[in-house]
Amino acid sequence: MPNQDIPFDDRMLSLGLARVSEAAALASAKLIGRGNEEAADQAAVDAMRTQLNLLDIRGVVVIGEGERDEAPMLYIGEEVGRGTATGSGPEVDIALDPLEGTTLTAKDMPNALAVIAMGPRGSMLHAPDVYMDKLAIGPGFAADVVSLDMTPAQRVEALAAAKGVSCEDITVCILERPRHQDLIAEVRGTGAAIRLITDGDVAGVIHCAESAKTGIDMYMGSGGAPEGVLAAAALKCMGGQIFGRLLFRNDDERGRAAKAGITDLDRVYTRDDMVTADVIFAATGVTDGSLLAGVQREPGALTCETVLMRSMTGSVRRMTYRHPIG
């Protein structure tokens, strides 16, 4: 009979999680600049699934790549890990994006990542595949400095006041999308700078946690809800705040929320609402970016860079992996 009480040993599992993101990054790197988003994503998925099934866990994908009928992607509800068959290892929730930035990879553009987070069973929001209005800042601020109920201009003004600087000294990261046209105009109206990104809003949010290094003070705008949970897992480790409110365009999307057990459609989720317990988080660079170096080919080897984080200790490790090739 399976042991239901095996503790989540984040320290022992963390290096295994890094191997998972590394494998996905190395697999997808073969398709950098090839113009085939689907093939790059599938390569990352296959490698990530293989590595997950080597871990001694009983894992369930709660943030994945769609519903079960969209297999062979790592679908929501898929069971992974060696312990699934043997009954060994802890029960865990897994949030993942095997290739965050499929377009970035296909076009050889910066900031494509392989991303995964893991926590105890029941610790992560089962976010449906809909949009989420997001707002994030780095660590060191009071809980009520900014909120989703503020206008974009008020958020910039409030953060500038909290930092003791002018609005002109604030930089906001926003996804470059037609739906953000008014948002961009209002933020620029405050005098703040904007760093527009074409894809990869998990990396965009993470940048807020290291503003002194990245120059990004705040992230705002709408993007995928699953990516919001992944970003919350990263900020759980690094410090910082993220707020999210699900956005629904039609009854089908509201039905997805109901299927995920969400009843309050207007709720604003905080970081600790989206990730309720200690987690581990790993991201490996696929293409070069401001967060991580991309996969590099050297004589006889491929190298990649990974950031590995644990919320329990607040530790952040940066590791370089050299993978020999024939």
Side-chain angles (χ1 to χ4, degrees):
M1 182 175 180
N3 185 346
Q4 304 295 320
D5 300 315
I6 300 173
F8 175 66
D9 189 340
D10 67 310
R11 184 173 182 273
M12 295 303 294
L13 287 170
S14 59
L15 186 56
L17 201 71
R19 290 191 176 104
V20 173
S21 64
E22 287 167 352
L26 290 170
S28 58
K30 299 172 184 175
L31 290 141
I32 292 173
R34 309 295 179 182
N36 193 333
E37 298 180 18
E38 186 175 329
D41 196 32
Q42 190 64 61
V45 167
D46 292 344
M48 186 168 275
R49 179 185 281 118
T50 296
Q51 285 297 315
L52 279 170
N53 284 328
L54 294 176
L55 296 181
D56 196 22
I57 57 171
R58 288 169 286 160
V60 173
V61 176
V62 298
I63 297 294
E65 300 208 314
E67 306 297 330
R68 180 168 186 160
D69 58 5
E70 295 178 27
M73 296 300 154
L74 276 157
Y75 59 83
I76 297 169
E78 181 171 350
E79 296 183 352
V80 295
R82 186 167 55 195
T84 299
T86 64
S88 61
E91 294 183 309
V92 299
D93 282 353
I94 297 170
L96 53 82
D97 193 340
L99 183 56
E100 204 223 358
T102 55
T103 301
L104 300 176
T105 302
K107 295 182 177 181
D108 195 4
M109 296 172 66
N111 285 317
L113 303 171
V115 185
I116 187 166
M118 183 186 296
R121 182 68 52 83
S123 62
M124 295 184 187
L125 175 67
H126 293 217
D129 189 13
V130 301
Y131 280 131
M132 174 184 279
D133 190 17
K134 305 171 193 174
L135 172 63
I137 59 175
F141 299 102
D144 57 353
V145 168
V146 296
S147 75
L148 282 176
D149 292 329
M150 294 177 173
T151 66
Q154 288 172 336
R155 298 169 191 167
V156 173
E157 292 163 357
L159 185 61
K163 289 174 68 74
V165 300
S166 70
C167 291
E168 287 78 8
D169 296 314
I170 297 295
T171 299
V172 182
C173 183
I174 301 175
L175 269 175
E176 188 174 17
R177 296 289 187 271
R179 65 180 181 270
H180 288 152
Q181 182 176 349
D182 292 341
L183 168 63
I184 291 168
E186 183 173 345
V187 170
R188 283 193 170 137
T190 68
I194 294 176
R195 184 177 300 176
L196 293 172
I197 56 174
T198 58
D199 290 281
D201 61 348
V202 174
V205 171
I206 293 173
H207 284 143
C208 297
E210 297 181 315
S211 61
K213 176 181 177 181
T214 65
I216 301 296
D217 300 290
M218 181 186 299
Y219 179 93
M220 67 173 87
S222 61
E227 288 83 357
V229 177
L230 273 166
L235 292 189
K236 187 98 170 177
C237 299
M238 303 179 78
Q241 303 174 37
I242 182 170
F243 306 92
R245 180 189 287 122
L246 299 176
L247 302 173
F248 304 99
R249 295 172 294 183
N250 50 49
D251 288 340
D252 174 67
E253 292 189 347
R254 282 182 279 273
R256 292 184 200 176
K259 187 176 178 182
I262 294 170
T263 55
D264 183 356
L265 302 186
D266 297 316
R267 177 176 177 179
V268 174
Y269 294 91
T270 66
R271 182 196 72 185
D272 293 341
D273 292 329
M274 288 188 261
V275 182
T276 62
D278 281 313
V279 295
I280 47 179
F281 177 96
T284 302
V286 178
T287 58
D288 279 338
S290 47
L291 185 66
L292 290 162
V295 176
Q296 306 293 326
R297 182 176 290 273
E298 300 177 354
L302 294 173
T303 63
C304 59
E305 185 183 19
T306 297
V307 60
L308 175 64
M309 304 186 284
R310 298 168 58 207
S311 67
M312 182 176 290
T313 59
S315 63
V316 178
R317 285 182 171 87
R318 288 182 176 271
M319 306 180 295
T320 300
Y321 171 52
R322 186 176 185 273
H323 177 70
I325 54 176

